[in-house]
Amino acid sequence: MRLEIENLHINADEKEIVKGVSLKIGEGELHVLMGPNGSGKSTLAKAVMGHPLLSVTSGDIRIDGKSIRNARPDERARLGLFLEFQNPAEIEGLGIISFLNTARGSLGNSMHFRDFMKEVKERSAGLALKEELIGRSLNHGFSGGEKKKVEVLQMAVLKPKIAILDEPDSGLDVDSVRVIAENINRLRKETSMGILLITHYSRILNYMEPGFIHVMKDGRIVKEGGRELIKEIEERGYSE
Ligand SMILES: Nc1ncnc2c1ncn2[C@@H]1O[C@H](COP(=O)(O)OP(=O)(O)O)[C@@H](O)[C@H]1O
Ligand SMILES: [Mg+2]
């Protein structure tokens, strides 16, 4: 599957936040979107998933050439799009298992419940998530790191075709960053998932092999290139 974002302009509360961004993410590709706080990365991610409070004022979002600009978020999810939130919601009373089970059902995964549970447990173990945790309400009272791991667990179970990961490394300790990176890498090996990884730290990239780096500043992509850009940013920051 191929995701194309073309000259996208996005408003939040009448204010233009994203000012003409174009990106193409093909099958199996790992793209990294970097940039300082407030540059519009999360706004872009949420709008691509169809966030109801953001308005796309011009440009287009296409999946395999077909516009999804007017599609609802659940329709986008059914097409194979997935968003990991920078700040995952806590939903008391919604069990993680029940949530994952409903989600995979809506996406057409008809695996037997027993096999599904086996996969959930195996993936949780791979993420070093305590087994007791997956029996609890979604993110309720979870630490920042646990929430991020649960997002990756969702991705692992739902196996989207294109995943947008909004700072999967933020607020994580060093070991957890590595674990998250390894789990993302494993999914990349197992599937032909295309990934847009948003981050402003380069640490997670020490464990990954991104093919494309895009730098966003004040609503625009200001620089693009390969791995060499990471080093440049590390040494000189975003100001140049
Ligand atoms: N609903 C909103 N109303 C007004 N401004 C917003 C809204 N949502 C985001 N913004 C602003 O848009 C800018 C970009 O935010 P964001 O996309 O979260 O940046 P990033 O993820 O790159 O740190 C910020 O200045 C933020 O305050
Ligand atoms: Mg953000």
Side-chain angles (χ1 to χ4, degrees):
M1 194 168 110
R2 184 178 175 76
L3 172 70
E4 283 171 274
I5 299 168
E6 190 186 277
N7 195 22
L8 209 62
H9 291 253
I10 304 164
N11 280 9
D13 283 340
E14 317 277 299
K15 186 173 168 250
E16 190 169 60
I17 310 288
V18 174
K19 306 165 181 171
V21 164
S22 299
L23 286 172
K24 284 183 189 155
I25 296 145
E27 229 168 81
E29 291 178 359
L30 173 59
H31 291 250
V32 175
L33 181 62
M34 303 185 80
N37 284 319
S39 49
K41 305 181 297 297
S42 292
T43 303
L44 175 69
K46 286 189 270 191
V48 169
M49 201 64 219
H51 195 290
L53 298 180
L54 295 170
S55 59
V56 170
T57 53
S58 70
D60 207 357
I61 308 164
R62 286 187 291 266
I63 284 181
D64 290 336
K66 196 170 162 278
S67 177
I68 55 160
R69 197 180 141 170
N70 299 313
R72 294 190 314 263
D74 62 300
E75 293 169 331
R76 299 183 199 206
R78 266 185 216 111
L79 288 169
L81 204 57
F82 174 89
L83 170 63
E84 173 187 331
F85 289 100
Q86 183 174 351
N87 302 304
E90 297 192 14
I91 308 180
E92 193 177 1
L94 174 62
I96 292 184
I97 301 294
S98 145
F99 167 68
L100 288 176
N101 194 37
T102 305
R104 62 120 184 180
S106 325
L107 298 181
N109 169 336
S110 59
M111 189 190 270
H112 194 286
F113 185 73
R114 204 176 40 220
D115 299 324
F116 159 74
M117 276 310 293
K118 207 174 139 198
E119 174 164 26
V120 170
K121 284 187 181 158
E122 197 265 317
R123 300 276 180 187
S124 306
L127 282 159
L129 271 171
K130 285 179 260 150
E131 197 165 339
E132 162 265 327
L133 211 76
I134 57 170
R136 285 166 47 188
S137 289
L138 185 62
N139 295 328
H140 186 63
F142 287 18
S143 73
E146 288 166 343
K147 286 182 188 172
K148 289 296 188 180
K149 286 182 174 180
V150 168
E151 295 278 306
V152 176
L153 174 65
Q154 281 173 48
M155 170 170 77
V157 171
L158 300 178
K159 296 181 190 63
K161 297 198 170 74
I162 300 272
I164 304 174
L165 309 177
D166 195 355
E167 299 195 15
D169 51 345
S170 72
L172 296 189
D173 58 56
V174 195
D175 295 328
S176 297
V177 169
R178 186 178 37 79
V179 166
I180 292 255
E182 284 168 358
N183 278 269
I184 297 171
N185 289 339
R186 175 181 161 192
L187 272 167
R188 285 191 71 214
K189 278 209 192 88
E190 293 170 350
T191 68
S192 55
M193 187 183 299
I195 295 180
L196 177 63
L197 174 78
I198 300 173
T199 185
H200 51 210
Y201 298 111
S202 52
R203 173 174 281 149
I204 192 169
L205 304 175
N206 292 338
Y207 308 105
M208 306 184 91
E209 292 297 329
F212 312 83
I213 311 287
H214 313 269
V215 182
M216 190 166 173
K217 225 172 140 175
D218 191 24
R220 294 183 178 87
I221 303 280
V222 294
K223 205 158 188 186
E224 299 186 289
R227 254 203 108 84
E228 71 285 350
L229 266 184
I230 303 171
K231 195 153 178 278
E232 229 175 274
I233 291 167
E234 226 169 42
E235 284 166 4
R236 292 188 281 182
Y238 290 114
S239 48
E240 288 175 53

